[in-house]
């Protein structure tokens, strides 16, 4: 695949000291993970208020768990795609590099990314709503599963209306404020506070690049945008980085 990389962007790729990559569901689409708002997105088929809120869990924990088990089963069978691997590779070429994701599918880690800010949690993890203990248990005999303390376990993901993990959020904004180059990959840019990261980076002088299948709410804050598949575009950009910085 060939993409046009203008001179200004080439210079940034050559000289940038700190880089942030922020991803959404689109980076996992080529692995077979349904996005949320795309054509066959999850929120086209399911009602978030019935499945992804604290109230929904209190009302019907069985239904919520069945849905997360369904998503866990999908995610267990899939593998990272060239987009995930390109991002893991990109990290080696910059002094400061931070990956931030809204995805709960753990595919970035599977692709070899070690330092990942998981803003919306991790679908493979459970948390006790009573004692707060975390575990990675699977294959529960009953739903909702219980913690040793007798409390109910819930998937350790951030639901609508819930606060994001404070430390992670603060770090995400800090690195976005101080980076030279910011990539926004595979996100519709609708959900806050993650959608504020690209404009924050731009306002603080970073060169912002969007890689997304289609224009988004964020396209207007970018210096450069590539509308296509991240699994095809990212490897080309990383190849260029290797040539310039290898
Ligand atoms: N390559 C690049 N972009 C893609 C690809 C692809 N192969 N396939 C789809 N996309 C784009 C779509 O065009 C869309 O703009 O990815 C974007 C995915 O947007 P959403 O489905 O809205 O997902 P996201 O932005 O990650 O959602 C944010 O919303 O539902 C909550 O907590 C959930 O983390 C999620 C948050």
């Amino acid at each position: 695949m060939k993409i046009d990389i203008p001179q200004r962007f080439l210079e940034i790729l050559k000289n940038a000291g700190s880089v942030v990559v922020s991803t959404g569901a689109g980076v996992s689409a080529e692995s077979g993970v349904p996005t949320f708002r795309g054509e066959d997105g999850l929120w086209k088929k399911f009602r978030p208020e019935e499945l992804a809120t604290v109230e929904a869990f209190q009302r019907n924990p069985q239904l919520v768990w069945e849905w997360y088990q369904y998503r866990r089963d999908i995610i267990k069978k899939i593998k990272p795609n060239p987009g995930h691997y390109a991002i893991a590779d990109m990290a080696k070429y910059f002094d400061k590099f931070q990956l931030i994701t809204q995805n709960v599918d753990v595919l970035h880690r599977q692709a070899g990314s070690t330092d990942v800010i998981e803003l919306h949690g991790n679908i493979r993890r459970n948390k006790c709503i009573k004692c707060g203990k975390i575990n990675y248990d699977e294959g529960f005999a009953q739903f909702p599963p219980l913690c040793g303390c007798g409390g109910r376990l819930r998937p350790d993901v951030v639901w609508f209306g819930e606060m994001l993990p404070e430390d992670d959020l603060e770090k995400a904004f800090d690195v976005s404020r101080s980076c030279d180059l910011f990539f926004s990959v595979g996100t519709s840019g609708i959900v806050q506070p993650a959608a504020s990261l690209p404009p924050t980076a731009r306002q603080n002088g970073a060169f912002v690049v969007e890689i997304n299948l289609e224009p988004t709410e964020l396209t207007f804050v970018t210096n450069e945008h590539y509308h296509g598949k991240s699994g095809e575009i990212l490897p080309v950009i990383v190849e260029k980085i290797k040539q310039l910085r290898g």
Side-chain angles (χ1 to χ4, degrees):
M1 172 176 211
K2 235 183 131 344
I3 61 171
D4 172 41
I5 304 185
Q7 192 52 35
R8 176 104 179 79
F9 186 18
L10 279 176
E11 280 154 24
I12 300 269
L13 286 175
K14 187 167 175 36
N15 305 315
S18 61
V19 174
V20 170
V21 175
S22 178
T23 68
V27 80
S28 296
E30 290 152 80
S31 295
V33 182
T35 64
F36 294 93
R37 294 167 193 83
E39 210 156 289
D40 57 355
L42 289 169
W43 299 147
K44 295 269 165 60
K45 288 185 260 183
F46 304 100
R47 294 159 53 83
E49 59 278 14
E50 280 173 15
L51 296 163
T53 63
V54 171
E55 295 72 26
F57 187 71
Q58 283 158 351
R59 218 177 20 246
N60 191 342
Q62 179 101 13
L63 175 69
V64 172
W65 261 109
E66 275 163 15
W67 190 62
Y68 277 93
Q69 210 49 51
Y70 151 76
R71 290 181 60 199
R72 281 183 174 182
D73 293 343
I74 294 175
I75 285 169
K76 243 187 294 184
K77 298 191 195 89
I78 55 173
K79 299 267 173 289
N81 66 62
H84 296 106
Y85 289 112
I87 293 169
D89 208 9
M90 191 194 286
K92 302 177 198 133
Y93 295 89
F94 298 96
D95 301 339
K96 289 193 190 145
F97 183 91
Q98 182 65 61
L99 173 57
I100 302 166
T101 189
Q102 295 172 75
N103 302 344
V104 296
D105 59 31
V106 206
L107 290 177
H108 281 302
R109 290 186 190 285
Q110 282 176 29
S113 290
T114 47
D115 186 359
V116 190
I117 296 179
E118 294 167 324
L119 281 179
H120 295 166
N122 176 329
I123 202 168
R124 312 285 293 266
R125 214 165 45 211
N126 315 305
K127 183 166 72 177
C128 174
I129 62 172
K130 189 166 163 209
C131 72
K133 211 184 310 166
I134 297 272
N135 69 47
Y136 287 81
D137 296 353
E138 295 179 329
F140 299 111
Q142 63 160 76
F143 286 101
L146 299 180
C147 170
C149 77
R152 277 194 180 142
L153 289 176
R154 57 166 281 178
D156 189 18
V157 296
V158 177
W159 283 329
F160 288 99
E162 285 194 304
M163 301 292 284
L164 275 62
E166 221 169 309
D167 300 352
D168 288 343
L169 191 58
E170 204 173 308
K171 185 170 179 196
F173 275 94
D174 283 351
V175 292
S176 300
R177 272 190 287 272
S178 58
C179 66
D180 306 316
L181 174 57
F182 186 106
F183 288 97
S184 176
V185 183
T187 180
S188 55
I190 290 170
V191 174
Q192 294 293 352
S196 296
L197 296 171
T200 299
R202 181 75 195 259
Q203 282 148 19
N204 287 275
F207 190 86
V208 178
V209 179
E210 177 179 65
I211 299 168
N212 204 69
L213 208 52
E214 61 204 348
T216 73
E217 307 285 318
L218 295 167
T219 306
F220 78 99
V221 299
T222 63
N223 297 90
E224 204 56 52
H225 55 259
Y226 296 93
H227 292 143
K229 293 185 173 180
S230 51
E232 295 172 0
I233 294 166
L234 282 165
V236 176
I237 291 177
V238 172
E239 217 33 60
K240 182 55 75 180
I241 292 171
K242 285 183 186 168
Q243 286 168 19
L244 294 167
R245 303 173 72 103

